[in-house]
Amino acid sequence: MLTRIDHIGIACHDLDATVEFYRATYGFEVFHTEVNEEQGVREAMLKINETSDGGASYLQLLEPTREDSAVGKWLAKNGEGVHHIAFGTADVDGDAADIRAKGVRVLYEEPRIGSMGSRITFLHPKDCHGVLTELVTSAAVESPEH
């Protein structure tokens, strides 16, 4: 069962400048940064609030590290802005299977490692009214069998 908005992913050309905008404008501070070589992004997670299920809600700022990455291609086509929305779940595998059974294309056969050690998968935007949708099981609430 989806429990919260885990994060909203925002594609940007300059991560440092975008972080500074969110810090200066809204007072949001960086909670975590990392480079995900597999996905070709440098990212910053800005924590917005805690949630009742032990997770949190974030803004995820994404700067491509290479032009051929998914975010790099998206930026070239669309420019900066909202890239995806991510919903939190305690069971990314089960929820992905349930959603796949309803006819929505799940982009990864098996969930992959995402930000902060989470497990993630994506749903095809053409099946989600134009919205790239991510399912996330935070490392903190991941079940022991994963």
Side-chain angles (χ1 to χ4, degrees):
M1 176 174 84
L2 305 181
T3 58
R4 69 184 184 290
I5 294 174
D6 184 85
H7 67 271
I8 297 172
I10 300 172
C12 61
H13 292 291
D14 183 334
L15 184 65
D16 297 327
T18 306
V19 164
E20 179 54 24
F21 168 82
Y22 281 96
R23 188 202 61 71
T25 306
Y26 305 116
F28 297 153
E29 296 295 336
V30 173
F31 179 78
H32 176 81
T33 61
E34 69 182 81
V35 174
N36 185 318
E37 295 294 343
E38 179 186 1
Q39 294 181 18
V41 295
R42 185 174 147 230
E43 68 176 76
M45 296 293 272
L46 284 63
K47 190 178 207 176
I48 308 306
N49 67 322
E50 302 289 335
T51 61
S52 62
D53 67 356
S57 293
Y58 302 91
L59 288 180
Q60 179 187 46
L61 306 179
L62 300 160
E63 175 190 61
T65 59
R66 56 182 197 271
E67 290 180 14
D68 69 338
S69 70
V71 172
K73 291 175 187 176
W74 190 91
L75 263 173
K77 181 179 177 182
N78 301 292
E80 293 185 307
V82 174
H83 179 261
H84 67 275
I85 186 167
F87 294 109
T89 172
D91 183 8
V92 69
D93 299 272
D95 283 336
D98 289 347
I99 291 168
R100 180 182 283 124
K102 294 174 182 171
V104 175
R105 287 174 281 180
V106 178
L107 299 183
Y108 304 152
E109 197 57 41
E110 294 289 326
R112 297 181 182 177
I113 300 299
S115 301
M116 300 184 291
S118 62
R119 297 185 71 245
I120 64 167
T121 195
F122 285 90
L123 310 178
H124 200 292
K126 289 184 179 179
D127 297 342
C128 299
H129 297 273
V131 178
L132 179 61
T133 303
E134 182 179 7
L135 304 179
V136 178
T137 297
S138 300
V141 296
E142 186 172 321
S143 60
E145 54 278 354
H146 297 292

